[in-house]
Amino acid sequence: MAPFVSRRRFVAIAAGSTTTGLAGYTRRSSAADPESDESTVGIDRIPDTVGLETLVDGLGMPLAVEFAAETDRRYIAERDGRVSVHETDGLRNEPFLDLGEAVATGGERGLLGMTLHPDFVENRRLFVHYSAPRRSGTPTDFDHTGVLAAFEATDDGTGVKEGTERVILEIPQPANYHNGGDLAFGPDGYLYVGIGAGGGGGGGGQNVSKDFLGSVLRLDVDDRTADRAYAIPDDNPLVGRDGLDEYYAWGFRNPWRLSFDGDDFFVADVGESDYEEVNLVQKGGNYGWNVMEGTQCYRNDDCSAVAAKTPRGGEQFRDPIVEYPHEESDSGVSGISVIGGYVYDGSTLPALEGAYVFGDLLPAGRIFAATRPDDEGMWPTTTLDIADEAKLERILSFGRDAVGELYVLGTGVDGGGLHRIDSAV
């Protein structure tokens, strides 16, 4: 479930529960071995506590932040459809973009993703992903239409030009939750789009020929074809094969925040009943939903039998690099809804360099850090206490600026805010 409503159910299981393997599938260990030297490489250097420097407070539900190159300017997107400009002197009075009644809210709908084009300084293009009322072509029994759209900013970058919206893609959504919505440009210059499986415990993820639900798409938004407002990269994994050409990877339940670190592509995927996960995604990878929840078999004692009946039966599932339970764990890493983050590459907290920093919707005064092991197993993960936890009662998203410093967006005692992760001293 995405981070707007409480879970509809919570099923706790014993920490020592076993996993059922899949035919033809070699599973990695579901937890790092605390006795192995490899399992603790780098994790002991993670600081115990971090601070939060508040840059903006008094917001509603801030869900994304983007940093404009060559200027001290941040664009902050809120769920209600507004994007604000934050500069050295604070927030500008007029919004950068206000989608108004074009956005459907309620449940987990709203303005769910925003990113700037890599050449934003030159072309002033930005992209948003928002929930809209049902549009033509959306089935009558579906809840709404997800819209991926491009806009053009003014030359000074402080507003969006009227009449410049260009719809790139419309995604019919069956429910008002599990909609995904995040956007990120990869190092290849293509736009990556996270789409949720569409609600319900058994929702999409495995049928790559029917729709885009439960996927990450990859689009060339610098080109277009006669029948599309975008082009398909020639090396997308299903080009010339059975399936929709837009797919990059599939088998996700609700990808909530995408990020790149060089060629590494991180996708956090919100779990259903018991486990949360972070994946290091590869082209053409199947990440298991709705057969697997993390490394665990989802609601069935024989995952092999279920997997054989999926539209792409027998396809190998890929394990996450991080998995944590809903119940309390010895490591302290637990929660109810994962919020994906970024690899830290800044200078303020050198002990965090190279760690993947992320969190949970209900942080309970913590964020998480995972470090890369020497092998291909799970990434050891630990907690970092937040010095002033009242600032952050809910985590909604993360951001990273051009020099590698990390930011967290969420709600606390002063409403919604944007905070820079800093030293606790």
Side-chain angles (χ1 to χ4, degrees):
M1 183 172 297
F4 302 136
V5 296
S6 298
R7 290 188 174 276
R8 290 169 174 77
R9 51 188 174 276
F10 182 96
V11 182
I13 67 172
S17 68
T18 60
T19 60
T20 303
L22 298 176
Y25 174 50
T26 302
R27 180 178 301 287
R28 298 195 300 266
S29 170
S30 62
D33 177 7
E35 300 302 321
S36 166
D37 290 340
E38 290 182 348
S39 71
T40 57
V41 169
I43 203 71
D44 57 345
R45 62 179 167 81
I46 300 299
D48 294 330
T49 306
V50 294
L52 298 177
E53 179 187 356
T54 301
L55 302 183
V56 184
D57 58 19
L59 301 173
M61 295 188 74
L63 297 181
V65 59
E66 287 287 309
F67 301 85
E70 301 180 11
T71 182
D72 184 15
R73 179 178 294 156
R74 289 150 288 279
Y75 297 93
I76 305 169
E78 297 185 67
R79 181 192 173 195
D80 65 3
R82 289 178 297 170
V83 179
S84 301
V85 178
H86 181 258
E87 299 172 318
T88 305
D89 296 331
L91 286 176
R92 296 183 67 90
N93 292 329
E94 295 299 319
F96 174 72
L97 173 66
D98 189 349
L99 293 169
E101 295 182 357
V103 175
T105 56
E108 297 174 10
R109 300 174 301 181
L111 173 54
L112 302 177
M114 173 189 67
T115 191
L116 305 181
H117 191 282
D119 297 325
F120 178 75
V121 172
E122 289 76 30
N123 63 27
R124 292 303 186 195
R125 298 177 74 202
L126 68 143
F127 297 80
V128 297
H129 191 169
Y130 64 91
S131 311
R134 278 197 311 273
R135 295 188 175 183
S136 176
T138 295
T140 57
D141 60 340
F142 274 37
D143 180 78
H144 68 280
T145 304
V147 178
L148 170 63
F151 288 86
E152 184 180 342
T154 55
D155 291 343
D156 65 3
T158 62
V160 164
K161 295 180 181 178
E162 291 188 15
T164 60
E165 180 177 10
R166 180 165 68 91
V167 174
I168 305 296
L169 187 65
E170 294 181 347
I171 306 105
Q173 288 283 358
N176 66 356
Y177 55 100
H178 304 174
N179 305 134
D182 201 19
L183 306 172
F185 277 94
D188 52 14
Y190 296 133
L191 180 64
Y192 291 73
V193 185
I195 310 291
Q206 292 300 319
N207 194 334
V208 299
S209 300
K210 179 182 178 182
D211 52 42
F212 295 134
L213 300 179
S215 73
V216 172
L217 310 180
R218 182 171 68 157
L219 310 176
D220 180 354
V221 293
D222 291 326
D223 199 358
R224 62 181 303 159
T225 63
D227 60 342
R228 295 174 173 137
Y230 55 89
I232 301 291
D234 292 339
D235 64 339
N236 271 9
L238 299 182
V239 172
R241 299 174 56 199
D242 180 24
L244 300 173
D245 291 347
E246 288 87 347
Y247 269 89
Y248 182 78
W250 49 91
F252 299 100
R253 181 178 177 273
N254 192 23
W256 190 253
R257 292 344 197 193
L258 324 176
S259 69
F260 284 90
D261 185 60
D263 292 330
D264 286 340
F265 181 27
F266 296 88
V267 177
D269 196 20
V270 180
E272 172 72 15
S273 301
D274 301 304
Y275 292 94
E276 304 299 308
E277 65 182 89
V278 177
N279 300 280
L280 192 56
V281 170
Q282 298 178 10
K283 181 172 64 178
N286 185 338
Y287 292 86
W289 184 258
N290 58 357
V291 179
M292 309 296 294
E293 185 182 19
T295 63
Q296 315 297 317
C297 185
Y298 174 68
R299 290 189 179 172
N300 197 292
D301 292 333
D302 187 359
C303 275
S304 297
V306 176
K309 296 178 182 179
T310 62
R312 300 175 65 84
E315 187 170 65
Q316 177 178 331
F317 295 146
R318 298 181 184 271
D319 272 356
I321 58 167
V322 172
E323 172 184 88
Y324 67 87
H326 292 179
E327 64 179 5
E328 292 186 8
S329 67
D330 291 341
S331 70
V333 181
S334 62
I336 67 163
S337 190
V338 66
I339 308 296
Y342 291 80
V343 170
Y344 183 79
D345 191 31
S347 58
T348 301
L349 295 167
L352 270 183
E353 184 178 358
Y356 176 76
V357 179
F358 65 109
D360 192 87
L361 169 66
L362 298 181
R366 309 157 301 156
I367 57 176
F368 305 143
T371 57
R372 187 187 300 271
D374 287 343
D375 58 16
E376 294 184 356
M378 284 283 183
W379 289 32
T381 305
T382 190
T383 62
L384 297 81
D385 291 337
I386 299 170
D388 187 356
E389 62 181 89
K391 289 184 176 182
L392 205 58
E393 296 171 344
R394 286 194 174 196
I395 294 176
L396 302 176
S397 195
F398 287 82
R400 184 175 65 183
D401 64 21
V403 296
E405 299 297 338
L406 298 189
Y407 300 73
V408 58
L409 302 101
T411 58
V413 293
D414 295 320
L418 171 68
H419 314 276
R420 182 164 43 223
I421 298 175
D422 205 346
S423 171
V425 179

